[in-house]
């Protein structure tokens, strides 16, 4: 810490920040435009001018730009002197000469950084009477509006889009005061983080287009913090609603996960909450009249109890009917943990099937086992960004985990930042750091079957077929194992005879063996071992347990060689990782009860004497089975079950097959816990009370399970699955308000109060429905967010981003990169795997043997199917991920759906030539489990030994397919 003086007031501050960051952290209102705590400083806007004095005797001083000035001990600064104050007023007056007077109609009004800075700078009266410039606006896609006339030329947008996110279809054109920020031609912005331009821009140049369709001023919105319901990263968001509709999603800063930015999926994937196909009331199928009957909640619960007919409870509080196997259930990977717990308690663990394929269950269990045994250390996204070498194994994280991909993009700059630091240039000096770094990048190795958006950053990229990937990974594994053996031998030799360690023979052996490994494997291992905090990233995209097994082995070996090494296992859905903890393993034989096991159970393939055959009733919780199974097979299974009960938010194809449908609340209407792929347990709050008859699934089942509160669900989970015991931390919401009789305001404080949206019909404003059981009050009368850390110890994040003089959401960014002052689990979550007792590290051969045993069945199938010799009857398929197409709930949002590409078969031209295919033609894929027709596209950058199909189609087809041109099929039909 160093001492500085600002306007005759002494402060102790960190020497690692610039002066602007320091002033804002101290709560001093110093205006700025171009600076952003994540983007660094470029000194473009000149709005943060202050006067710096050499010492106490200096009475003249000099103007400096605070964002470009490092803090040093003994610094004397003035923000309020006449010269710097007048400079800031004159500067913003010059900026405003070309800015239109359209605040009343601008959607940024009331949430505008420019408004905040104008007021803080003291610029009140406008004197410019000349004609203002005008620009033509562009179409930038379904997510953003464009109004270039409001631009002040701060360059934030282009710095964010191009430098930070790596986009290349957006730029600045022109010079001096004639600047244009946009695309070379009209069209949708391609980058997955383009939606953040609405927040990054300090004015109204870029605004939220879906929000425009049902626009409400910020001070009229009710907000609450929760977790993004789509991918598995667990990004924190704030949901804003008005009149029982979600109006917009904004980033809720969590420095360990999403930081300042959300992907487009998180920002715009919320329209399923407002969708016309949302279920509002229970529906009962009437087969006689061939229609559905709308039930009341009580009638639906009575009918549910009648269908299940639970017998008397046993001594342990469970229903005896569980043992009969008459009632089975399928859980959900996109609902809260409490809902799966209630359903499991109702039917029993033997009758509870996890709502993903068995293979995914196996891979989830492998991840959880590795985390629990402390074999690997799961990294947070912040730790991933701070690492200095990364190996990505067959996981296109730009589509499966976009916020992680953005962190890896920043990780690649760490080498350049370190080089600049050696020259005395701090990391926040964005321009000089980039000039020093040039093309130097931190090691990033990618092993995959196709290129990805991070390919241009990779220092080593190996594009090969799956069976070749396994060979390469095994070679990397062997290199690391040999290095570990060498290290252990050296340690033993030093302990036995420090005067004569046996290093020569070991080095010779290492030199001999290295010649037998591919050069790429050796380079990857060298990069990982040279780094201080290397990291391995893999996941479920490959849908290959053997590949995940060897990835975990590599990460485990790397951790033993580098104690600070980490691992990130990317899963598929928001809450699927906890499935890996709900595995029954009492007899030593792991039973992966997923959708495939459910099919086997229903179709009676366990044997005629099995007590599990022919269940009477099936309960499906928020899972569309048609996404995992071919329709004909699934319908045959459902026809074999007498009663089908579906609890879901949407009228999915699976829900349409139900005899009884119970409407569940969306993420905005529910509160509960999520476990991210990092192993971080988080709690999300409801923004809207359940509309009409929508309830959380555990509430529908409460009378049958005796789990009448979330605390009951948490206690039952902690009793049956001790690893989830930390979930009881979230049982008592009352603890949030300890020490205060006030609740937390759900909307920002405004003197104007709420806008009368229906004033043309009624002067009275409809009273908001308060969500019961939350600490938030649906008005501005609670404790404002900015006072929570000053007045009382409230441990939950504010419901809104308002504070005095800072109406814009960007005001939250002014506190730098350590804004989470509260260390409460309500704000940070709980990393459950860091709380388990670390077990002793097993020897390398034991680790490998265990994982090979876990993946034995899959390895056998790989040996049978992984032929490198492609034929028309046996083409190896690989799943191709897409951010806009792979997530079920997000697909109901029109902006997301419109960005989803048409499904296609991607194939290398060499393989296409061997199959006599032409680009653009339709082909028939006959897979192991189903068939599909896709258009054929060529990609010369992918592996020539595989064909890529969309994730959902890959799940339905299987790993291999016969690819037939429709022309050949037509010729065959003509011949017949």
């Amino acid at each position: 810490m160093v001492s500085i003086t600002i306007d005759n007031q002494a402060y102790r501050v960190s020497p690692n920040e610039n002066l602007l960051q320091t002033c804002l952290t101290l709560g001093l209102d110093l205006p700025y435009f171009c600076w952003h705590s994540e983007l660094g400083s470029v000194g473009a806007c000149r709005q943060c001018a202050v006067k710096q004095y050499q010492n106490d005797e200096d009475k003249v001083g000099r103007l400096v730009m605070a964002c470009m000035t490092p803090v040093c001990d003994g610094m004397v600064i003035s923000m309020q002197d006449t010269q710097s104050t007048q400079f800031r007023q004159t500067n913003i007056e010059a900026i405003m000469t070309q800015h239109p007077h359209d605040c009343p109609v601008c959607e940024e009004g009331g949430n505008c950084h420019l408004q905040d800075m104008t007021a803080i700078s003291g610029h009140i009266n406008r004197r410019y009477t000349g004609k203002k410039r005008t620009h033509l606006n562009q179409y930038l896609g379904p997510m953003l509006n464009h109004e270039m006339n409001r631009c002040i030329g701060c360059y934030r947008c282009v710095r964010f889009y191009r430098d930070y996110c790596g986009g290349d279809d957006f730029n600045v054109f022109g010079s001096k005061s004639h600047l244009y920020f946009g695309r070379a031609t009209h069209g949708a912005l391609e980058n997955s983080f383009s939606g953040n331009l609405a927040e990054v821009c300090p004015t109204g140049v870029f605004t939220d287009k879906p929000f425009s369709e049902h626009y409400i001023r910020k001070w009229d919105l009710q907000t609450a913090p929760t977790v993004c319901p789509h991918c598995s990263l667990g990004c924190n968001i704030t949901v804003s609603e008005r009149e029982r509709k979600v109006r917009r999603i904004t980033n809720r800063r969590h420095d360990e996960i999403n930081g300042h930015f959300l992907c487009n999926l998180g920002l715009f994937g919320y329209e399923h909450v407002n969708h016309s196909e949302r279920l509002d009331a229970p529906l009962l199928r009437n087969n006689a009249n061939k229609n559905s009957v709308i039930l009341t909640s009580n009638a639906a619960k009575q009918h549910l109890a009648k269908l299940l007919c639970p017998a008397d409870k046993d001594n342990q509080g469970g229903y005896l009917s569980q043992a009969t196997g008459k009632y089975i259930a399928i859980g959900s990977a996109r609902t809260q943990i409490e809902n799966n717990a209630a359903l499991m308690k109702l039917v029993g663990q033997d009758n509870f099937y996890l709502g993903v394929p068995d293979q995914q269950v196996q891979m989830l269990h492998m991840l959880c086992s590795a985390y629990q045994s402390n074999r690997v250390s799961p990294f947070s996204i912040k730790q991933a960004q701070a690492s200095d070498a990364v190996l990505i194994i067959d996981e296109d994280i730009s589509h499966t985990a976009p916020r992680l991909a953005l962190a890896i993009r920043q990780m690649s700059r760490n080498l350049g930042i370190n080089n600049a630091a050696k020259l005395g240039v701090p990391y926040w000096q964005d321009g000089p750091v980039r000039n020093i770094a040039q093309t130097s990048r931190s090691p990033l190795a990618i092993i995959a079957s196709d290129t990805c958006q991070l390919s241009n950053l990779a220092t080593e990229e190996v594009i090969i077929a799956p069976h070749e990937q396994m060979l390469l990974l095994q070679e990397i594994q062997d290199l690391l194992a040999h290095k570990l053996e060498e290290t252990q031998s050296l340690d033993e030799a030093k302990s036995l005879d420090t005067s004569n360690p046996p290093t020569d023979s070991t080095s010779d052996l290492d030199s001999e063996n290295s010649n037998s490994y591919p050069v790429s494997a050796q380079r990857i291992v060298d990069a990982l071992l040279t780094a201080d905090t290397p990291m391995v990233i893999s996941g479920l995209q490959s849908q290959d347990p053997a590949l995940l097994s060897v990835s975990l082995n590599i990460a485990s070996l790397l951790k033993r060689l580098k104690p600070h090494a980490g691992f990130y296992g990317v899963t598929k859905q928001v809450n699927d990782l906890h499935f890996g903890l709900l595995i029954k393993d009492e007899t030593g034989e792991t039973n992966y009860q997923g959708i495939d096991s459910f099919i086997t159970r229903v179709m009676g393939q366990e044997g005629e004497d099995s007590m599990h055959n022919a269940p009477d009733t099936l309960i499906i919780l928020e899972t569309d089975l048609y996404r995992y199974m071919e329709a004909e097979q699934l319908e045959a299974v459902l026809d074999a079950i007498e009663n089908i009960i579906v609890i879901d938010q949407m009228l999915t194809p699976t829900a349409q097959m139900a005899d009884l449908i119970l409407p569940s609340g969306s993420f905005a209407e529910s509160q509960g816990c999520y476990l991210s792929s990092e192993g971080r347990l988080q709690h999300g709050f409801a923004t809207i009370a359940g509309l009409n008859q929508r309830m959380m699934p555990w509430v529908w089942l409460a009378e049958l399970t005796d789990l009448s509160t979330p605390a009951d669900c948490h206690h039952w989970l902690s009793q049956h699955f001790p690893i989830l015991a930390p979930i009881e931390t979230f049982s008592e919401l009352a603890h949030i308000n300890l020490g205060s009789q006030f609740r937390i305001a759900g909307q920002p404080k405004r003197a104007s109060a709420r806008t009368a949206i229906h004033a043309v019909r009624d002067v009275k404003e409809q009273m908001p429905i308060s969500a019961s059981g939350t600490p938030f009050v649906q008005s501005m009368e609670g404790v404002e967010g900015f006072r929570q850390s000053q007045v009382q110890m409230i441990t939950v994040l504010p419901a809104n981003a308002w504070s005095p003089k800072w109406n814009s959401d960007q005001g939250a960014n002014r506190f730098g990169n350590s804004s989470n002052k509260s260390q409460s689990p309500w704000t940070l979550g709980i990393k459950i795997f860091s709380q388990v007792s670390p077990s002793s590290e097993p020897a390398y051969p034991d680790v490998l043997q265990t994982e090979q045993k876990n993946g034995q069945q899959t390895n056998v199938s790989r040996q049978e199917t992984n032929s490198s010799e492609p034929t028309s009857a046996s083409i190896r398929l690989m799943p191709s991920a897409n951010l806009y197409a792979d997530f079920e709930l997000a697909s109901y949002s029109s902006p997301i759906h419109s960005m989803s590409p048409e499904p296609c078969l991607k194939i290398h031209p060499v393989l296409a030539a061997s199959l006599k295919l032409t680009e653009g033609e339709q082909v028939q894929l006959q897979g192991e489990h189903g068939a599909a027709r896709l258009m054929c596209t060529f990609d010369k950058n992918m592996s020539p030994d595989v064909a890529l199909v969309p994730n959902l189609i890959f799940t339905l087809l299987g790993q291999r397919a016969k690819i037939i041109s429709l022309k050949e099929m037509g010729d065959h039909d003509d011949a017949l």
Side-chain angles (χ1 to χ4, degrees):
M1 302 293 285
V2 297
S3 297
I4 66 172
T5 302
I6 303 177
D7 290 320
N8 300 319
Q9 179 69 43
Y11 298 95
R12 296 283 293 174
V13 299
S14 170
N16 301 319
E17 303 291 349
N18 60 61
L19 182 57
L20 172 60
Q21 175 71 84
T22 299
C23 291
L24 296 173
T25 303
L26 293 173
L28 305 176
D29 294 329
L30 184 60
Y32 63 91
F33 288 116
C34 64
W35 177 84
H36 189 287
S37 59
E38 191 67 20
L39 303 180
S41 305
V42 292
C45 70
R46 323 302 289 174
Q47 190 58 40
C48 61
V50 296
K51 181 169 283 190
Q52 181 179 2
Y53 301 91
Q54 292 183 358
N55 49 49
D56 294 337
E57 297 178 358
D58 183 5
K59 303 302 179 184
V60 179
R62 63 189 179 95
L63 285 179
V64 297
M65 300 305 117
C67 71
M68 303 295 290
T69 304
V71 171
C72 61
D73 194 25
M75 175 180 282
V76 180
I77 295 296
S78 175
M79 291 172 48
Q80 300 177 0
D81 69 286
T82 303
Q83 186 181 9
S84 61
T85 301
Q86 186 176 1
F87 181 93
R88 293 194 297 267
Q89 290 178 350
T90 304
N91 187 61
I92 198 167
E93 185 174 18
I95 290 174
M96 296 293 287
T97 56
Q98 297 297 329
H99 192 80
H101 298 185
D102 65 344
C103 295
V105 298
C106 177
E107 293 181 10
E108 201 80 357
N111 189 25
C112 179
H113 186 71
L114 178 60
Q115 288 179 337
D116 291 346
M117 298 302 98
T118 304
I120 290 175
S121 299
H123 173 54
I124 304 300
N125 298 319
R126 292 195 174 191
R127 297 180 293 165
Y128 179 73
T129 58
K131 185 177 181 180
K132 296 180 183 290
R133 68 188 175 198
T134 56
H135 293 287
L136 294 177
N137 301 318
Q138 287 185 319
Y139 170 77
L140 298 179
M143 300 172 185
L144 290 173
N145 294 313
H146 189 222
E147 179 51 76
M148 255 307 295
N149 294 320
R150 298 171 183 155
C151 180
I152 63 173
C154 70
Y155 284 84
R156 260 201 194 183
C157 57
V158 70
R159 290 174 57 215
F160 168 76
Y161 196 89
R162 296 184 67 87
D163 297 342
Y164 194 85
C165 297
D168 58 5
D169 60 326
F170 180 90
N171 213 334
V172 55
F173 306 92
S175 63
K176 297 183 180 178
S177 61
H178 301 282
L179 298 176
Y180 192 90
F181 294 86
R183 288 171 53 91
T185 59
H186 295 268
L189 291 171
E190 298 172 1
N191 194 274
S192 301
F193 289 85
S194 60
N196 291 275
L197 289 174
E199 189 274 335
V200 169
C201 177
T203 69
V205 176
F206 305 98
T207 52
D208 186 329
K209 183 177 284 188
F211 185 34
S212 302
E213 298 176 1
H214 46 210
Y215 182 76
I216 297 291
R217 290 294 184 186
K218 176 182 177 180
W219 57 82
D220 288 330
L221 293 171
Q222 306 287 344
T223 58
T226 188
V227 177
C228 179
H230 303 300
C231 83
S232 63
L233 298 184
C235 294
N236 286 204
I237 60 175
T238 296
V239 181
S240 301
E241 69 89 18
R242 179 78 190 275
E243 287 204 316
R244 307 184 185 184
K245 289 184 178 180
V246 172
R247 305 289 179 157
R248 68 168 183 166
I249 299 290
T250 52
N251 180 66
R252 177 165 64 95
R253 185 170 167 188
H254 191 306
D255 287 333
E256 293 291 329
I257 309 174
N258 46 289
H260 296 81
F261 308 118
L262 291 174
C263 73
N264 290 343
L265 195 71
L267 288 172
F268 305 108
Y270 61 84
E271 287 188 3
H272 65 279
V273 181
N274 310 325
H275 203 274
S276 59
E277 293 187 9
R278 278 298 304 277
L279 296 168
D280 285 331
L283 299 176
L284 178 65
R285 183 186 297 275
N286 188 326
N287 291 320
N289 297 332
K290 296 183 178 180
N291 62 3
S292 297
V293 179
I294 299 177
L295 303 178
T296 64
S297 298
N298 291 334
K301 289 180 179 180
Q302 292 174 5
H303 190 77
L304 178 65
K306 182 179 178 181
L307 288 177
L308 297 178
C309 296
D312 294 334
K313 298 177 185 178
D314 58 22
N315 295 332
Q316 284 73 39
Y319 289 107
L320 296 177
S321 57
Q322 293 175 358
T324 66
K326 292 183 178 180
Y327 318 114
I328 62 174
I330 298 177
S332 172
R334 59 173 168 87
T335 193
Q336 291 87 353
I337 294 176
E338 294 87 343
N339 298 327
N340 282 315
L343 189 58
M344 179 182 284
K345 184 176 189 295
L346 177 66
V347 301
Q349 189 170 2
D350 287 335
N351 303 316
F352 183 78
Y353 293 84
L354 306 173
V356 294
D358 286 16
Q359 198 172 62
Q360 289 187 31
V361 177
Q362 180 184 2
M363 297 174 76
L364 291 168
H365 183 59
M366 291 167 63
L367 285 174
C368 291
S369 298
Y371 297 157
Q372 285 182 269
S373 65
N374 202 34
R375 281 184 54 210
V376 298
S377 300
F379 265 14
S380 67
I381 294 178
K382 181 180 180 180
Q383 290 173 304
Q385 183 167 327
S387 61
D388 49 3
V390 173
L391 169 61
I392 303 177
I393 301 173
D394 204 15
E395 186 74 28
D396 188 358
I397 58 175
S398 296
H399 292 284
T400 62
R403 190 58 187 83
L404 177 62
L406 187 62
I408 298 303
R409 186 173 291 277
Q410 311 320 310
M411 182 282 307
S412 68
R413 296 188 57 220
N414 287 342
L415 179 60
I417 292 173
N418 292 335
N419 291 339
K422 294 176 182 178
L423 298 176
V425 179
Y427 71 94
W428 47 263
Q429 287 275 18
D430 191 62
V433 168
R434 292 183 184 275
N435 286 334
I436 293 171
Q438 296 295 321
T439 59
S440 60
R441 300 191 186 100
S442 298
L444 171 62
I446 301 175
I447 300 174
S449 297
D450 191 16
T451 57
C452 64
Q453 294 178 15
L454 295 176
S455 294
N456 62 334
L457 300 177
T459 56
E460 186 77 30
E461 185 177 42
V462 185
I463 305 300
I464 50 180
H467 67 280
E468 295 174 313
Q469 291 179 28
M470 287 295 296
L471 294 175
L472 176 59
L473 291 173
Q474 287 169 358
E475 290 167 348
I476 293 173
Q477 177 180 266
D478 291 343
L479 278 171
L480 291 172
H482 181 71
K483 183 66 176 179
L484 180 61
E485 292 173 359
E486 177 186 347
T487 304
Q488 291 174 342
S489 298
L490 287 173
D491 292 340
E492 293 176 0
K494 287 180 180 180
S495 62
L496 295 175
D497 185 4
T498 56
S499 62
N500 187 26
T503 57
D504 294 339
S505 60
T506 307
S507 300
D508 292 340
L509 179 63
D510 185 34
S511 177
E512 292 174 4
N513 287 343
S514 64
N515 295 328
S516 63
Y517 296 106
V519 176
S520 56
Q522 189 68 57
R523 284 201 297 259
I524 291 172
V525 170
D526 290 343
L528 293 174
L529 294 180
T530 303
D532 294 324
T533 55
M535 180 183 182
V536 176
I537 299 176
S538 187
L540 272 62
Q541 181 187 342
S542 66
Q543 300 189 34
D544 187 346
L547 188 70
L548 180 60
S549 174
V550 71
S551 301
L552 286 168
N553 286 338
I554 290 172
S556 177
L557 289 165
L558 188 61
K559 180 183 176 183
R560 299 176 68 184
L561 288 164
K562 292 286 183 176
H564 299 293
F567 178 81
Y568 204 106
V570 180
T571 60
K572 285 184 170 291
Q573 300 187 61
V574 62
N575 221 359
D576 56 358
L577 183 66
H578 88 285
F579 277 176
L581 303 173
L582 307 182
I583 304 298
K584 190 172 183 180
D585 192 12
E586 296 178 353
T587 62
E589 295 183 3
T590 307
N591 186 14
Y592 304 117
Q593 292 192 166
I595 292 177
D596 302 303
S597 296
F598 155 73
I599 298 299
T600 302
R601 165 89 170 259
V602 174
M603 299 308 289
Q605 297 179 19
E606 295 184 3
E608 296 181 359
D609 297 332
S610 173
M611 69 174 182
H612 294 308
N613 289 338
D616 294 336
T617 302
L618 168 65
I619 306 175
I620 304 173
L621 174 61
E622 296 194 31
T623 300
D624 185 8
L625 298 178
Y626 282 88
R627 293 173 64 87
Y628 303 102
M629 297 180 56
E630 195 270 334
E632 184 176 348
Q633 181 188 13
L634 176 59
E635 288 165 7
V637 172
L638 297 180
D639 287 343
I641 301 174
E642 183 176 351
N643 300 307
I644 300 174
I645 303 168
V646 171
I647 309 175
D648 210 334
Q649 308 172 32
M650 310 294 299
L651 189 61
T652 63
T654 299
Q656 295 175 18
M657 299 292 289
D659 299 292
L660 175 65
I661 302 177
L662 303 177
S664 63
S666 67
F667 77 102
E669 301 160 302
S670 307
Q671 58 186 31
C673 294
Y674 302 86
L675 186 66
S676 72
S677 51
E678 174 199 347
R680 189 183 297 268
L681 190 66
Q682 299 184 97
H683 187 277
F685 292 95
T687 310
I688 316 172
L691 303 184
N692 300 322
Q693 300 184 63
R694 300 173 192 164
M695 301 183 196
M696 291 190 66
W698 69 262
V699 177
W700 281 113
L701 305 174
E703 295 179 6
L704 301 174
T705 60
D706 286 340
L707 301 179
S708 56
T709 65
D712 294 336
C713 297
H714 298 161
H715 182 70
W716 185 88
L717 275 167
S718 64
Q719 293 294 313
H720 290 77
F721 304 97
I723 185 65
L724 287 173
I727 199 172
E728 292 201 73
T729 305
F730 302 109
S731 294
E732 295 296 335
L733 291 175
H735 289 174
I736 294 175
N737 287 358
L738 283 179
S740 173
Q741 59 182 339
F742 300 105
R743 298 178 75 188
I744 302 171
Q747 69 182 77
K749 185 176 182 179
R750 295 284 296 191
S752 62
R754 290 170 66 85
T755 303
I757 193 172
H758 297 301
V760 294
R761 300 196 304 268
D762 193 344
V763 296
K764 298 190 297 297
E765 177 70 18
Q766 182 180 6
M767 183 177 179
I769 299 178
S770 295
S772 60
T774 73
F776 305 105
V777 60
Q778 300 293 321
S779 75
M780 67 184 74
E781 297 176 0
V783 179
E784 300 102 334
F786 81 98
R787 293 192 183 277
Q788 292 181 23
S789 61
Q790 304 172 14
V791 178
Q792 60 175 359
M793 294 302 294
I794 297 182
T795 55
V796 71
L797 282 180
N800 55 70
W802 181 83
S803 60
K805 299 184 182 180
W806 299 82
N807 294 302
S808 168
D809 290 340
Q810 296 186 45
N813 295 330
R814 68 188 190 275
F815 295 117
N817 295 324
S818 300
S819 64
N820 288 335
K821 297 180 181 179
S822 171
Q823 299 300 311
S824 164
W826 296 99
T827 61
L828 299 181
I830 304 172
K831 298 188 72 170
I832 64 170
F833 297 113
S834 65
Q835 310 218 348
V836 298
S837 300
S839 59
S840 58
E841 287 282 349
Y844 164 69
D846 295 336
V847 174
L848 180 59
Q849 183 178 3
T850 301
E851 293 303 334
Q852 286 179 339
K853 181 179 179 181
N854 289 339
Q856 182 176 3
Q857 182 177 356
T858 305
N859 287 334
V860 172
S861 64
R862 285 181 60 86
Q863 292 172 3
E864 293 174 353
T865 59
N866 275 342
S867 171
S868 60
E869 194 70 32
T871 66
S872 60
S874 178
I875 301 298
R876 178 66 159 92
L877 300 181
M878 288 294 290
S880 175
N882 186 273
L883 179 67
Y884 300 117
D886 292 348
F887 297 93
E888 179 184 357
L889 294 179
S891 65
Y892 290 96
S893 293
S894 55
I896 301 299
H897 182 72
S898 64
M899 294 292 290
S900 176
E902 287 294 325
C904 66
L905 170 72
K906 192 157 68 169
I907 195 169
H908 195 281
V910 173
L911 179 57
S914 68
L915 299 176
K916 299 180 180 180
L917 301 177
T918 59
E919 189 168 15
E921 73 169 307
Q922 293 284 326
V923 296
Q924 173 84 8
L925 282 80
Q926 189 63 47
E928 299 169 353
H929 312 302
R933 288 190 177 184
L934 297 174
M935 185 182 71
C936 183
T937 61
F938 291 176
D939 185 356
K940 64 181 181 180
N941 295 317
M942 62 178 290
S943 168
D945 300 323
V946 299
L948 296 175
V949 296
N951 256 329
L952 297 179
I953 295 179
F954 177 84
T955 302
L956 298 177
L957 294 180
Q959 287 191 349
R960 288 196 172 271
K962 182 178 181 181
I963 303 177
I964 308 172
S965 171
L966 292 186
K967 296 177 183 178
E968 294 183 7
M969 293 183 63
D971 294 341
H972 180 69
D973 292 340
D974 294 340
L976 292 176

